[in-house]
Amino acid sequence: AFYTLARRKTLLPESLGKVGAALGVRPEALLESGDAEIDAMRTLAARAGDIAGRNPGADFDTIRHVLLLLRKDPVERLRRALVRSQ
C-alpha cells in the first residue's frame, strides 16, 4: 500500500479534486477548518460541560445541541421544527 501511495501525485481522493476544480478552489481548502470554528466549538463544549456539571441528570449532548440551536435565528428554528413535525 505504501508504494502505491508513494507513486501517486496526491493523496487526496479524485472526487475532492473534481469538486475543488468545479468550485475554483484548491482541493486542500475544502479540508481546512478555520481556527475560529474550532475555538467556537471548544467554547460551546466547555459551556455545555459547565451546565451539565451543575445539573447532574442532564445529558451533555442534549445541552450541546440546544446551545447550537440557540445560535440560529428563531425563524429558522421554527421552520426546522415545522419541517420535522410533518
Side-chain angles (χ1 to χ4, degrees):
F2 170 78
Y3 292 107
T4 302
L5 293 175
R7 286 190 293 263
R8 293 183 67 185
K9 215 181 341 181
T10 179
L11 296 179
L12 294 175
E14 199 174 305
S15 59
L16 193 60
K18 289 179 183 178
V19 170
L23 295 174
V25 298
R26 294 183 354 258
E28 297 84 14
L30 298 172
L31 299 174
E32 295 174 0
S33 178
D35 289 339
E37 289 179 44
I38 293 169
D39 290 341
M41 287 300 114
R42 285 184 181 144
T43 301
L44 186 109
R47 202 166 151 211
D50 290 343
I51 294 169
R54 291 190 310 260
N55 300 282
D59 179 52
F60 172 83
D61 287 324
T62 302
I63 295 168
R64 184 188 55 79
H65 183 75
V66 168
L67 291 175
L68 280 171
L69 290 176
L70 288 174
R71 291 179 167 188
K72 298 205 177 288
D73 181 56
V75 173
E76 173 64 18
R77 293 194 318 253
L78 179 60
R79 186 193 64 75
R80 286 180 56 159
L82 291 173
V83 167
R84 292 191 67 150
S85 69
Q86 294 180 354

